[in-house]
């Protein structure tokens, strides 16, 4: 007797056997470039789990493109600095007399880091043998080196990475030749102009290591389709998935998702706690929120009273560092109950973030299954498709 297979037993229509080699996986990845929006589909699940694919992403994306490190509000005064690790590079970002620099913080003597954490410095002094550097990286002094032949401190300077500040966000690149990130993001900057990103202040910051691929973190950040599942009790009642939409264009440096508030709901409530609004929000009568992926891995979201800037740093196929600054209007600092309000904001934000982490950790496990298919995408998650196309183009 024939028994019709249950849906769970059917082979998914987009099922493709695991590639088994990096070449086949790259071919399966780039094949998706042929699809148009109505046929939008995910990358092969192996692109989220394969060490070889991850290594290729590091070479072709993360060592070639721009990455963000933070916001200029972290370093408002001359001598202010913070540290940031990217791939194998240990960096220090410092405001000098003239400009912001992103430099290696590895001592030129025997490679100890000359700065840790964040703070304010007049110069950087290596803890190992006390070589000392100016804020622009120039070696100022190296004790007891007078018998070293042909050694002159003037000849030594900490390597500096190309960097640009775009709307207050600090970007750097390991590439000597890639085009300006400011030019690439000019259209995005025009959208941001009313919100005066460069003037915002840090409400709070946090860093966490996620147990899933960097693309999973970016994708979930940038679509609201999952409100109907992962956030059905928190976000969906106010921000229903059906009132979100995606935008993007092939070759553009970013993709965006927008979310409207459910009609007849008050603008405040849920995770909007009633801080002074970000610049421009009232003029635009904006009650929903906006999310942007600045390719590859900078995430920006704007939600009435806060602007989140997040840098994703890949640490492995299933490990990603999430570094977020929650920015608020400068007026917030004058509130008598500022600390309480920021604590409330953090509490609400953390709860929703945990809902995302829970599904994303399961998704990472699912992606390793040999039965996981290339998935089809809703029009509500075309941001996922635009990010996939960015990856496809870089891997092609
Ligand atoms: S390693 Fe820095 S002074 Fe020796
Ligand atoms: Fe989410």
């Amino acid at each position: 007797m024939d028994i019709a297979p249950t849906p769970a037993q059917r082979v998914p229509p987009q099922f493709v056997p695991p590639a088994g080699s990096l070449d086949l996986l790259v071919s399966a990845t780039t094949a998706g470039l042929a699809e148009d929006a109505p046929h939008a589909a995910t990358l092969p699940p192996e692109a989220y789990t394969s060490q070889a694919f991850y290594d290729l992403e590091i070479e072709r994306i993360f060592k070639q493109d721009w990455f963000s490190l933070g916001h200029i509000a972290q370093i408002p005064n001359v001598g202010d600095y913070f540290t940031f690790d990217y791939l194998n590079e240990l960096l220090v970002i410092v405001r000098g007399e003239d400009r912001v620099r992103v430099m290696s913080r590895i001592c030129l003597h025997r490679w100890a880091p000359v700065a840790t954490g964040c703070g304010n410095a007049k110069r950087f002094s290596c803890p190992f043998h006390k070589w000392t550097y100016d804020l622009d990286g120039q070696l100022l002094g190296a004790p007891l080196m007078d018998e070293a032949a042909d050694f002159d401190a003037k000849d030594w300077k900490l390597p500096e990475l190309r960097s640009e500040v775009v709307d207050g966000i600090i970007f750097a690149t390991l590439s000597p030749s890639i085009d300006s990130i400011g030019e690439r993001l000019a259209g995005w900057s025009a959208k941001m102009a009313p919100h005066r990103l460069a003037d915002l202040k840090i409400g709070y910051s946090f860093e966490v290591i996620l147990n899933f691929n960097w693309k999973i973190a970016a994708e979930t950040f940038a679509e609201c389709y999952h409100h109907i599942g992962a956030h059905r009790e928190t976000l969906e009642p106010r921000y229903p998935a059906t009132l979100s939409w995606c935008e993007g264009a092939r070759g553009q440096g970013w993709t965006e998702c927008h979310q409207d508030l459910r009609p007849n709901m008050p603008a405040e409530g849920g995770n909007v706690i009633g801080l002074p609004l970000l610049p421009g929000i009232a003029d635009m009568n904006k009650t929903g929120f906006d999310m942007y992926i600045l390719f590859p891995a900078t995430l920006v979201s704007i939600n009435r009273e806060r602007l989140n800037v997040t840098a994703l740093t890949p640490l492995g196929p299933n490990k990603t560092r999430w570094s977020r600054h929650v920015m608020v209007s400068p007026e917030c600092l004058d509130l008598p109950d500022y600390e309480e309000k920021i604590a409330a904001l953090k509490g609400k934000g953390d709860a929703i973030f945990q809902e995302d982490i829970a599904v994303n950790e399961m998704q990472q496990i699912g992606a390793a299954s040999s039965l996981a298919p290339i998935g089809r995408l809703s029009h509500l998650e075309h941001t996922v498709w635009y990010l996939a196309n960015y990856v496809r183009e870089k891997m092609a």
Side-chain angles (χ1 to χ4, degrees):
M1 183 175 72
D2 285 345
I3 299 176
T6 65
Q9 293 171 318
R10 276 191 208 122
V11 175
Q14 290 290 306
F15 177 80
V16 288
S21 81
L22 180 59
D23 286 348
L24 289 173
L25 178 54
V26 169
S27 297
T29 297
T30 56
L33 274 174
E35 304 295 2
D36 57 7
H39 296 94
T42 68
L43 296 171
E46 268 186 288
Y48 297 74
T49 60
S50 156
Q51 181 69 48
F53 192 87
Y54 171 83
D55 292 342
L56 199 61
E57 284 182 325
I58 295 298
E59 293 303 319
R60 296 194 179 170
I61 295 176
F62 291 97
K63 288 186 179 176
Q64 303 293 335
D65 211 336
W66 292 88
F67 60 97
S68 67
L69 308 95
H71 190 280
I72 53 167
Q74 293 171 264
I75 46 173
N77 302 307
V78 172
D80 287 350
Y81 72 89
F82 65 94
T83 54
F84 191 93
D85 298 344
Y86 182 76
L87 309 183
N88 288 333
E89 313 310 337
L90 276 60
L91 306 173
V92 60
I93 300 88
V94 59
R95 183 179 288 278
E97 296 282 353
D98 51 347
R99 63 183 175 87
V100 170
R101 287 180 175 78
V102 178
M103 305 186 297
S104 168
R105 67 175 195 276
I106 296 304
C107 184
L108 301 173
H109 178 220
R110 280 168 50 208
W111 325 306
V114 302
T116 53
C118 59
N120 183 277
K122 292 202 171 3
R123 56 192 60 85
F124 298 109
S125 177
C126 180
F128 204 171
H129 313 91
K130 286 298 178 192
W131 285 28
T132 302
Y133 301 86
D134 208 348
L135 296 179
D136 66 357
Q138 177 63 52
L139 181 61
L140 294 172
L144 306 175
M145 287 290 289
D146 38 309
E147 293 187 25
D150 304 322
F151 177 82
D152 186 339
K154 288 201 299 296
D155 299 336
W156 295 79
K157 198 170 187 180
L158 295 173
E160 181 183 355
L161 271 59
R162 289 177 65 201
S163 65
E164 291 184 27
V165 177
V166 181
D167 295 292
I169 303 173
I170 304 166
F171 289 88
T173 180
L174 298 169
S175 165
S177 57
I178 193 169
D179 290 344
S180 157
I181 182 76
E183 287 174 19
R184 184 199 301 179
L185 294 179
W188 178 78
S189 286
K191 289 172 186 269
M192 294 302 104
H195 305 307
R196 304 210 312 267
L197 268 55
D199 297 337
L200 301 181
K201 302 298 179 194
I202 294 176
Y204 67 95
S205 304
F206 68 97
E207 197 167 280
V208 61
I209 306 299
L210 303 171
N211 295 315
F212 40 88
N213 187 270
W214 69 274
K215 298 185 290 297
I216 285 180
E219 292 161 357
T220 306
F221 163 85
E223 54 92 355
C224 299
Y225 184 30
H226 72 282
H227 288 191
I228 59 176
H231 305 304
R232 64 190 175 283
E233 286 166 10
T234 48
L235 292 176
E236 176 69 14
R238 291 171 55 77
Y239 304 111
T242 50
L243 294 184
S244 70
W245 71 99
C246 298
E247 295 176 26
R250 190 69 68 82
Q252 184 177 262
W254 73 93
T255 180
E256 51 195 89
C257 180
H258 305 279
Q259 172 71 55
D260 273 347
L261 181 67
R262 193 184 290 274
N264 304 318
M265 292 291 278
E268 286 173 15
N271 64 342
V272 178
I273 65 163
L275 285 168
L277 298 180
L278 295 175
I281 295 290
D283 297 341
M284 300 159 84
N285 198 23
K286 184 187 281 291
T287 54
F289 55 90
D290 308 308
M291 294 133 282
Y292 302 89
I293 306 175
L294 312 181
F295 298 141
T298 297
L299 315 178
V300 177
S301 62
I302 300 174
N303 189 348
R304 285 183 70 76
E305 59 193 6
R306 67 183 183 283
L307 182 140
N308 297 337
V309 182
T310 307
L312 299 178
T313 310
L315 302 176
N318 57 2
K319 199 167 285 262
T320 304
R321 192 181 65 217
W322 169 285
S323 312
R324 169 166 284 187
H325 300 289
V326 178
M327 316 292 301
V328 296
S329 164
E331 299 162 51
C332 293
L333 302 183
D334 300 328
L335 295 174
D337 57 349
Y338 175 69
E339 297 295 338
E340 290 90 330
K341 283 230 160 55
I342 292 297
L345 194 63
K346 185 170 185 327
K348 302 265 189 188
D350 285 352
I352 289 169
F353 191 38
Q354 289 307 319
E355 293 176 340
D356 287 320
I357 288 174
V359 288
N360 287 163
E361 287 184 345
M362 290 189 290
Q363 184 189 0
Q364 181 71 41
I365 292 167
S369 164
S370 65
L371 298 177
I374 290 176
R376 290 298 303 275
L377 295 168
S378 162
H379 65 285
L380 299 179
E381 51 189 345
H382 275 178
T383 42
V384 175
W385 184 59
Y386 284 115
L387 177 63
N389 281 340
Y390 166 87
V391 172
R392 288 169 178 134
E393 283 169 355
K394 293 291 181 184
M395 300 306 250

